[in-house]
Amino acid sequence: MSFTIAIDGPAAAGKGTVSKGVAAHFGFAHLDTGLLYRAVGRRVLAGEEPVAAARALSQADLERQDLRSAEVAQAASKVAVIPEVRAALVDFQRDFARREGGAVLDGRDIGTVICPDAEVKLFVTASPEVRAERRYLELTGKGADVTRDQILAEVRERDARDTERSTAPLKPAEDAVLLDTSDLSIEEALAKAVSVIEERLGQRG
Ligand code: CDP
Ligand code: CDP
């Protein structure tokens, strides 16, 4: 059986946390599709041409430890506006989504473009200030030398680039369930996501 859960939303909304929790709860596989764009962005920072970098991506690129920096996040959102870069990453994501046993994919365009027929679509959001604070705590916790203002500006810049691009812009699918995590703990956000998914699984029988 394949069962696809599409989780989209802006930077640091809690997509990854909810996705990992949901995948663990239901025993599904999880793909953080942001890592694909981050891996391309990292290669471009190292001097490669974006489309060639996207086509050359391998598992080893996704396992690198240096993909979480603010610099790589910005580079990712810049390569993500290029249609040929996005096209080069489609098959890998769709193959993952259709695997036996269920799959959770999180990103920006999973419910709209990659898996428009996903059984469950969630759009996870939170205010820019809450998201920037979360990302700030995360990055400084890992020793990064950044300020709150810097991270808020970068989050806003990336949101704008992601929502305004013409190919696969960030927006909720028409049939997505909205999950605003601004005032939710991780446990509360996960519980809401699990209940939406259980309802859909129940409907399928
Ligand atoms: O994947 P995405 O960028 O949307 O966000 P994330 O990596 O799941 O979450 C960003 C940070 O916010 C992490 O440090 C989470 O622990 C934290 N978080 C939170 O504090 N409360 C939530 N309800 C969800 C996430
Ligand atoms: O974790 P966070 O939400 O900060 O970022 P991410 O999910 O790792 O994505 C990094 C960047 O990749 C985003 O700002 C988007 O520009 C791009 N991306 C995309 O265009 N489509 C996806 N499905 C996933 C990420």
Side-chain angles (χ1 to χ4, degrees):
M1 166 203 91
S2 80
F3 188 96
T4 307
I5 301 172
I7 302 189
D8 293 304
K15 303 178 299 295
T17 307
V18 166
S19 299
K20 282 191 203 96
V22 157
H25 183 92
F26 293 101
F28 289 1
H30 170 227
L31 177 65
D32 170 0
T33 66
L35 279 185
L36 302 173
Y37 294 90
R38 285 174 181 261
V40 177
R42 192 202 59 78
R43 276 179 174 251
V44 169
L45 288 174
E48 283 184 48
E49 190 278 320
V51 179
R55 289 180 182 153
L57 225 54
S58 71
Q59 188 61 35
D61 285 284
L62 306 183
E63 287 165 8
R64 293 183 59 102
Q65 298 300 309
D66 55 357
L67 299 179
R68 288 281 161 212
S69 71
E71 188 193 16
V72 169
Q74 286 295 329
S77 81
K78 289 179 186 163
V79 302
V81 306
I82 305 169
E84 292 84 359
V85 165
R86 305 198 70 83
L89 304 175
V90 168
D91 287 350
F92 178 78
Q93 295 174 82
R94 288 198 179 139
D95 287 348
F96 191 97
R98 285 197 211 99
R99 65 171 53 205
E100 279 294 300
V104 186
L105 286 79
D106 78 281
R108 300 291 185 290
D109 62 339
I110 308 304
T112 51
V113 173
I114 301 296
C115 305
D117 298 328
E119 277 77 8
V120 180
K121 298 179 186 177
L122 292 177
F123 195 83
V124 182
T125 58
S127 71
E129 291 75 15
V130 165
R131 293 187 283 117
E133 179 66 15
R134 288 176 181 167
R135 189 48 48 87
Y136 171 79
L137 293 175
E138 208 174 32
L139 290 170
T140 52
K142 284 191 238 160
D145 181 19
V146 290
T147 65
R148 286 193 162 78
D149 286 352
Q150 209 178 333
I151 296 301
L152 179 58
E154 287 185 2
V155 160
R156 286 189 192 280
E157 185 187 330
R158 205 141 59 87
D159 284 355
R161 208 180 283 123
D162 289 349
T163 51
E164 288 163 16
R165 69 182 177 223
S166 45
T167 307
L170 169 66
K171 63 172 179 202
E174 277 180 16
D175 49 350
V177 175
L178 298 187
L179 181 58
D180 187 329
T181 69
S182 300
D183 300 314
L184 298 182
S185 68
I186 290 174
E187 292 72 23
E188 289 167 335
L190 180 58
K192 287 209 175 187
V194 165
S195 88
V196 170
I197 296 159
E198 270 172 350
E199 200 183 319
R200 281 294 283 130
L201 278 167
Q203 284 164 4
R204 250 171 69 126

